[in-house]
Amino acid sequence: MSIFEEPIYSAFEYLNSLLNLEKKRLFESINLIASENLPSKAVLEAVGSVFSVKYAEGYPGNRYYGGCEFVDRVETQAIELAKKLFDMEFANVQPHSGAQANQAVFESILKDGDKILSLSLDHGGHLTHGHKVNFSGKRYNVVFYPLDPKTYLIDLNLVEEIAKKEKPRLIIAGASAYSREIDFDAFRDIADSVGAYLLADVAHYAGLIVAGIYPSPKRAHFVTSTTHKTLRGPRGGIILSQSSFANSINRAVFPFLQGGPHMNSILAKAVCFEICQTTEFKQYAEKVVLNAEELARHLILNDLNVITGGTSSHMFLVDVVSIGLTGIEAQSLLEEAGIYVNKNTIPYDKNPPAVCSGIRIGTPMITSLGLEVSHMAQVAEFIVKVLKERQAPDNLREEVRQFCIQNFKKIF
Ligand code: DSN
């Protein structure tokens, strides 16, 4: 057999062993990283398909290469499904990531130096919403709205006040570490009152939105998302908008920011969007939120400080300084026990971003692996044993492993 045809395990044994180690890591540990998820087999099959061969710069019906008959049909289908799912007039399914989706929206309506109003990263926003180390903070003039210092919730009156004073050209509603509902309609009203555009970055909430259990962003001028978080699709991004922005968005994605679209990912996005329309997906999304609520409830019962006292989504933040730890310490103690979270700033954090005072906990992945509300007390107990009771995490590792082996659905 030629080296081109051999399976990875016989051609490159050392690479295959890394693949197996990663599978073991994923399926023998409790992954609570809020932005990660396990895609369905159909999505993974699409990502690994022969659609990865094809160059298709351009858009359906208007490509720079021959042989685009089937990729055109795939991309058209992905676009139609995305529009239907989010109930919006236009979709571009080519962005390689959420960051590039945001960049394309900025490019389509902003000039260098234009003003953006957004939630800062340390209050739960996102790097691309104007952080000073990111292109968004370097190219645009960014003003942030803070969370309410007592409730840690978005204060819409304050957002409106700042918007009226600052007159931004773009307001961003969306977050990577905000566990409560975002009222996108109210943001649109504020944007209208100051003549600003509204971008809803729903990367974290998209799966809950299409399942109808999180506020709809459809009144926003632009909606961006990743496809791999709560949507359970492939790594990638999408942009939705009103049809009047179609040309400027398309030009911003290609040829301005990107070259050839990844047609294998676009096939996988179409597969993901098909799955998202099913009752099974809606039930999955509901379970993600129920699991997050239940996990937060058990941590609170054990006197851990869950920011905002719970969650209305797939994730929540835990303040670990109140139990004598930093975020980075909590993350690494849990990792030793086989539980993955990420250190995260909490609102008004006094620690630097590399240290953080909190951890972010999410349930999309464990729900994909079949954990139910009834398992959450046990997951909380593991966390409490490590963080609060300070039991040696390596002693718990085997218990966590056995829990995973016994309770995770066999996916592969
Ligand atoms: N890195 C993602 C997250 O963890 O939320 C956002 O891009």
Side-chain angles (χ1 to χ4, degrees), residues 7-8 24 45 50 54 87 102 111 161 203 265 309 313 336 360 367:
I8 184 171
K24 201 167 149 59
E45 190 187 339
V50 293
K54 194 73 199 93
D87 194 13
N102 284 346
K111 296 189 301 300
E161 199 180 296
S265 294
S313 67
E336 276 181 64
R360 186 182 62 167
T367 308

Side-chain angles (χ1 to χ4, degrees), residues 364-381:
M365 175 84 174
I366 55 171
T367 308
S368 292
L369 284 166
L371 293 196
E372 306 274 348
V373 163
S374 57
H375 294 111
M376 292 305 115
Q378 178 61 72
V379 175
E381 194 183 314

Side-chain angles (χ1 to χ4, degrees), residues 83-154:
K83 281 160 45 179
K84 184 170 163 206
L85 267 181
F86 288 90
D87 194 13
M88 291 196 73
E89 292 170 358
F90 165 78
N92 184 309
V93 296
Q94 293 193 4
H96 299 322
S97 68
Q100 281 181 307
N102 284 346
Q103 197 174 359
V105 169
F106 299 165
E107 285 296 337
S108 72
I109 46 159
L110 301 179
K111 296 189 301 300
D112 283 10
D114 274 354
K115 196 175 275 182
I116 296 177
L117 174 60
S118 67
L119 184 65
S120 65
L121 181 64
D122 56 347
H123 279 217
H126 190 255
L127 197 63
T128 56
H129 295 181
H131 194 281
K132 61 179 191 276
V133 300
N134 185 257
F135 79 93
S136 52
K138 290 189 191 296
R139 292 185 68 166
Y140 307 109
N141 176 6
V142 185
V143 184
F144 295 112
Y145 50 88
L147 295 178
D148 181 283
K150 288 206 178 69
T151 61
Y152 296 157
L153 297 174
I154 292 171

Side-chain angles (χ1 to χ4, degrees), residues 227-254:
T227 46
H228 48 271
K229 296 188 176 89
T230 46
L231 281 174
R232 287 195 72 190
R235 292 302 283 246
I238 46 167
I239 304 169
L240 300 122
S241 73
Q242 299 163 347
S243 51
S244 54
F245 300 106
N247 288 339
S248 53
I249 292 281
N250 278 349
R251 278 198 303 271
V253 174
F254 173 83

Side-chain angles (χ1 to χ4, degrees), residues 252-274:
V253 174
F254 173 83
F256 186 78
L257 284 174
Q258 295 187 174
H262 296 175
M263 294 313 307
N264 54 332
S265 294
I266 291 177
L267 174 67
K269 286 173 190 176
V271 170
C272 156
F273 300 152
E274 285 284 8

Side-chain angles (χ1 to χ4, degrees), residues 33-35 126 176-177 204 226 229 342 360:
I33 294 176
S35 48
H126 190 255
S176 61
H204 266 270
T226 50
K229 296 188 176 89
N342 65 284
R360 186 182 62 167

